[in-house]
Each structure stands twice: as C-alpha cells, then as structure tokens.
Amino acid sequence: MAPKILVVEDNEQNLVLMRDILVYHGYAVLTARNGEEGVRLAREERPDLILMDMQMPVLDGFAAVNILRHDPGLHGLRIIAVTSFAMAGDKEKALQAGCDDYLSKPVDILELMATIKRHLGEGKADGE
Ligand code: MN
C-alpha cells in the first residue's frame, strides 16, 4: 500500500504543487488548510508523514506539532516542517517543536522527494 502523506498548508498554490508532485510519485495524499484541520485529519487518517507549513491561520504549525507530539496514538508519525527561508531561526524552532526535519520554501522538488524517502525508509536499495 502506498504511504499516506498529509500536506498541511494554507497557501493554495503551494498546497496544490506539493499534492500534485506527491500524487505523481504514487503517494496517497491528504490535504488540510490550517493546523486545526491538520490535527483532526492526522488523528482520523493516521498518515505516515506530515508536511507541515509553520505559518498558518487558526492554529499554526508549531501549535499543531505540539498537539500531535503529545498524542500517544500518533507514535512514529514523521513530521517535516515547511517554512519560509526568510524566517531566520525557524529551522531550529521547528526541530525544537518536535519536527523530524525541515524544508524551506520555495520547495525544491528533488529535495522534497529525497527528504520524504529518507524519512519513510524508502530508497535504501539505491545505496542510501
Ligand atoms: Mn502559510
């Protein structure tokens, strides 16, 4: 079965871009437009990995990750922060908040795919 990835992003253009890339690569993709919706979908759908925008309305990525990391039902969930390169210190903040990794926007497609595969344990046959 294809790994399930939840994309949480309030910018429609970024959301559609990441969703289409992931669908093209064969992943099962869910989307949410804010942190609150993201937390709800994570609990309902149990994705393998979340791409989490950190700047969002309603509930931002930092608050959402904090909630998810305190949910024992979501043990093992991988969370990759996606945030604006302009935001200095966001990488450290995201990792401290409990994210496993960090990607800066605009998202580089090759880096996105390599990061996802690394965290899902795929691609080891390629000598990784
Ligand atoms: Mn945003």
Side-chain angles (χ1 to χ4, degrees), residues 54-55 62 80-104 111 118:
M54 301 312 271
Q55 287 80 39
F62 295 102
I80 298 171
V82 183
T83 185
S84 194
F85 186 66
M87 299 285 178
D90 263 13
K91 178 178 183 176
E92 289 70 25
K93 271 173 68 185
L95 297 178
Q96 276 168 18
C99 294
D100 297 296
D101 213 330
Y102 166 94
L103 290 167
S104 59
E111 191 186 2
R118 191 163 68 242

Side-chain angles (χ1 to χ4, degrees), residues 60-119:
D60 72 13
F62 295 102
V65 170
N66 186 50
I67 292 169
L68 295 172
R69 285 306 188 217
H70 286 91
D71 187 330
L74 296 173
H75 185 74
L77 169 67
R78 310 299 294 183
I79 304 176
I80 298 171
V82 183
T83 185
S84 194
F85 186 66
M87 299 285 178
D90 263 13
K91 178 178 183 176
E92 289 70 25
K93 271 173 68 185
L95 297 178
Q96 276 168 18
C99 294
D100 297 296
D101 213 330
Y102 166 94
L103 290 167
S104 59
K105 293 192 221 181
V107 167
D108 178 280
I109 293 172
L110 292 178
E111 191 186 2
L112 172 70
M113 297 315 300
T115 302
I116 287 171
K117 284 182 180 174
R118 191 163 68 242
H119 285 282

Side-chain angles (χ1 to χ4, degrees), residues 8-11 14 53-57 82 105:
V8 188
E9 166 67 81
D10 67 309
N11 180 291
N14 289 337
D53 178 25
M54 301 312 271
Q55 287 80 39
M56 290 185 294
V82 183
K105 293 192 221 181

